[in-house]
Amino acid sequence: MTNQMTPTMDEQARAILRGNDRGGYTVPTSGLYPYQWNWDSAFAAWGFATFDVARAWVEIETLLSGQWDNGMVPHILFHRPDPGYFPGPDVWGGVGPVPSSGISQPPVAASFARRVYDMDPDASREALVRIFPKLKAWHQWFMDWRLDQGAVCITHPWEAGRDNTPDWDGAMAGIDPVGVGDYTRRDTSHVDPAMRPTKYDYDRYIWLVQLGRRLNWGDAALLKQNPFRVADPTMTFTLLRAQRDLAALGRALGEDVGSIDAAIQELEAGAETLWNPDLACYDARDVRSGKWAGCVSNASFLNWYAGIDHPGMVAQYDRITSICKYPVPSHDPSSDRFDPKRYWRGPTWGIMNALIGLGLEECGHTDRAEALRQTTGELIRDHGFAEYFDPLTGRAAGGGTFTWTAAVWLGWTSPSRPKGAS
Ligand code: 9WN
């Protein structure tokens, strides 16, 4: 029986989603991130679908309402002005139908759309018919503008959603942020600066935004002039998975999915170009310099999620999970660049764990998948719905009452998650 004074974890998670709902879209957490973020919304849809399928579709449709003419779906939609976040719409100068940033984010929306659809096909069909061409155009934009030997590249660290990971250290060092000017960060007034990227990082983030804006976010111009171009496991594996899910959705609708199937083959070949033989792991590759990042990150382990069961990755996974109590860390704890509190340079993220866990399970590594589900559930139960966690102690870090952590609870770690959610 539920004690009325103490809400259950499920009730708390649902209350977070509702509390972060701004009418048609959710914010990742109030204060720190007051707008709609791309991959956060896809996770939010997953969470909503466990108790309100119609609301899940609204989340995805609102995200796609920001799609640009070239097919790109921005990483932030600034539906309503809010001075609490920097850089805002005036700095970005996005050129789409809704004020937005000028870059994208890991395309997990089609994959969560498939999950929502599978949970209730009848209630989902109309929305699916509307969004299918939009998702297809977005994926095609990646295929047209972002491939290097079939692997998907990012043009800004924020695009991979793993902002300050050591994966980009080499490429970031190649940027001289000359003329970036003065600006005031807002993130460090919400969160302990030791848990956030440094000024060195921010100068380069803003410099890259200014460059994109100067080029009016033209894809061809950016391809030529942007010094930051890194082939990234997050993007490559999530797009590969998303294309597989989109093809399945297309078949359910009776659509021709020939071009999506061709893209899947190209991305499968591209994923193999991210295998770093010296590291014995999937790695990021700096396209401008041709150098490997040399990083075992949580994105390295998205291979299973993409349907690739590389035997070498099991050995890496077992090594990494044996050296920290709360895996999967965003950077290898045995590396001298590991920092257990600083954002994507060490902490564990529930969303990455969910993607890794879903992939492990689908590839038949069920014991590992179940163990990861358990430790992630324990982290959230014992330390709260935090943005991320210290992988050594489990301590909560970053923002609190976080939408995607609540969604991961509802869709993946809750003992009472509905059948079909995960
Ligand atoms: C920049 C919203 C987003 C996530 C990203 C995470 C963080 C933003 C920031 O927050 O990035 O996009 O300002 O730090 O790195 O993955 O989507 O939760």
Side-chain angles (χ1 to χ4, degrees), residues 156-190:
H156 191 295
W158 283 334
E159 201 154 42
R162 299 187 296 127
D163 311 7
N164 67 339
T165 173
D167 293 42
W168 332 131
D169 284 357
M172 288 287 267
I175 296 174
D176 180 4
V178 63
V180 74
D182 291 336
Y183 58 88
T184 306
R185 282 175 67 171
R186 304 307 308 264
D187 58 316
T188 42
S189 62
H190 297 287

Side-chain angles (χ1 to χ4, degrees), residues 28-29 32-33 37-40 75-76 85-87 103 105-106 158-164 187 196-197 202 343-344 349 351 387 402 404:
T29 185
L32 180 62
Y33 303 124
W37 259 261
N38 187 321
W39 69 329
D40 299 64
H75 105 290
I76 309 176
Y85 183 81
F86 177 85
I103 56 171
Q105 249 190 342
W158 283 334
E159 201 154 42
R162 299 187 296 127
D163 311 7
N164 67 339
D187 58 316
R196 294 289 304 175
Y202 257 77
Y343 217 33
W344 291 94
W349 294 69
I351 46 137
E387 186 179 7
F402 225 84
W404 66 14

Side-chain angles (χ1 to χ4, degrees), residues 74-224:
H75 105 290
I76 309 176
L77 296 181
F78 303 108
H79 294 290
R80 272 179 249 151
D82 190 309
Y85 183 81
F86 177 85
D90 47 326
V91 182
W92 281 97
V95 298
V98 174
S100 74
S101 67
I103 56 171
S104 200
Q105 249 190 342
V108 293
S111 298
F112 286 110
R114 182 181 182 189
R115 228 161 255 278
V116 178
Y117 175 79
D118 286 348
M119 286 164 78
D120 193 343
D122 290 342
S124 299
R125 203 174 163 89
E126 279 181 21
L128 183 62
V129 168
R130 285 193 297 271
I131 67 164
F132 180 81
K134 298 181 183 181
L135 291 170
K136 191 173 169 193
W138 180 25
H139 291 185
Q140 190 55 44
W141 170 82
F142 281 110
M143 302 304 294
D144 290 343
W145 293 107
R146 292 304 176 83
L147 293 197
D148 178 81
Q149 302 168 58
V152 185
C153 301
I154 55 165
T155 59
H156 191 295
W158 283 334
E159 201 154 42
R162 299 187 296 127
D163 311 7
N164 67 339
T165 173
D167 293 42
W168 332 131
D169 284 357
M172 288 287 267
I175 296 174
D176 180 4
V178 63
V180 74
D182 291 336
Y183 58 88
T184 306
R185 282 175 67 171
R186 304 307 308 264
D187 58 316
T188 42
S189 62
H190 297 287
V191 166
D192 177 357
M195 296 177 177
R196 294 289 304 175
T198 59
K199 173 164 166 54
Y200 171 96
D201 294 319
Y202 257 77
D203 281 353
R204 285 157 182 78
Y205 298 158
I206 303 306
W207 186 88
L208 284 168
V209 172
Q210 292 169 347
L211 172 72
R213 185 177 189 163
R214 234 182 358 263
L215 300 176
N216 210 24
W217 300 107
D219 292 310
L222 277 165
L223 180 59
K224 270 205 205 115

